[in-house]
């Protein structure tokens, strides 16, 4: 567990580094699915409620960042500015996310988090890094997840 914690803590440092390439909608919809899964998992978990709030606040900020800065503009660009087409594409994104969440639920039926989840979330942050308060909320969220896992 000590090695995994060190890896995760070291990985958190990458949050402050800017993303090198423009993130893809495909990758980011997978990250949104992970966030949806983690949020639901936290609703089932028996962690301290203040820890759950910190984690969910960071996840919500990151999810909003992904949607507003990557997914929505990307779908509009892909549909040449046609909001109706972009809306239909968003429905496809949402359906895909639902399938991915179902896969996570099948793989992780337990009512708690795993270090794999923190690592997967960190992999997302290496593709798309929010700024300012959203970044701080995300860092706090991830640090809290690591602390919870280290304590258990």
């Amino acid at each position: 567990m000590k090695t995994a914690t060190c890896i995760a803590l070291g990985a958190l440092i990458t949050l402050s580094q800017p993303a090198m390439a423009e993130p893809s909608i495909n990758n980011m919809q997978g990250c949104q699915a992970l966030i949806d899964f983690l949020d639901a998992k936290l609703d089932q978990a028996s962690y301290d409620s203040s820890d759950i709030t910190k984690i969910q606040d960071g996840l919500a900020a990151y999810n909003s960042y992904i949607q507003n800065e990557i997914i929505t503009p990307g779908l509009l660009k892909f549909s040449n500015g046609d909001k109706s087409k972009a809306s239909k594409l968003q429905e496809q994104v949402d359906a895909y996310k639902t399938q991915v969440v179902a896969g996570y639920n099948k793989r992780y039926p337990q009512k708690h988090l795993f270090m794999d989840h923190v690592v997967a979330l960190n992999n997302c942050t290496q593709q798309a890094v929010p700024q300012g308060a959203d970044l701080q909320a995300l860092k706090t969220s991830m640090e809290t997840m690591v602390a919870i896992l280290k304590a258990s």
Side-chain angles (χ1 to χ4, degrees):
M1 179 65 146
K2 198 172 205 177
T3 303
T5 302
C6 290
I7 291 169
L9 288 174
L12 288 174
I13 295 168
T14 63
L15 283 175
S16 62
Q17 299 172 355
M20 298 306 282
E22 187 174 316
S24 76
I25 291 173
N26 290 340
N27 290 346
M28 292 294 96
Q29 68 185 353
C31 293
Q32 282 188 309
L34 173 65
I35 292 167
D36 290 350
F37 166 76
L38 293 174
D39 192 49
K41 189 61 60 180
L42 288 165
D43 286 340
Q44 302 170 1
S46 60
Y47 302 121
D48 181 84
S49 63
S50 66
D51 288 339
I52 290 173
T53 299
K54 285 180 203 172
I55 295 168
Q56 288 180 322
D57 287 350
L59 294 176
Y62 193 43
N63 195 32
S64 180
Y65 165 77
I66 292 170
Q67 185 63 47
N68 295 328
E69 301 298 324
I70 300 164
I71 302 289
T72 298
L75 295 177
L76 278 169
K77 183 178 177 181
F78 185 75
S79 64
N80 295 318
D82 185 326
K83 290 183 181 182
S84 177
K85 285 182 183 176
S87 178
K88 296 246 187 263
L89 291 170
Q90 182 66 55
E91 289 174 14
Q92 292 176 8
V93 167
D94 293 340
Y96 173 77
K97 289 189 307 185
T98 299
Q99 290 177 339
V100 173
V101 170
Y104 278 124
N105 283 324
K106 196 175 215 178
R107 183 170 180 193
Y108 298 100
Q110 303 86 349
K111 295 183 179 185
H112 58 86
L113 301 176
F114 288 90
M115 189 59 71
D116 291 357
H117 302 141
V118 180
V119 171
L121 185 60
N122 187 66
N123 289 340
C124 290
T125 69
Q126 292 178 17
Q127 299 173 60
V129 182
Q131 301 297 313
D134 289 346
L135 174 60
Q136 189 55 50
L138 179 59
K139 286 175 83 171
T140 298
S141 177
M142 293 179 73
E143 289 166 352
T144 303
M145 282 190 271
V146 170
I148 285 171
L149 291 167
K150 186 177 178 184
S152 54

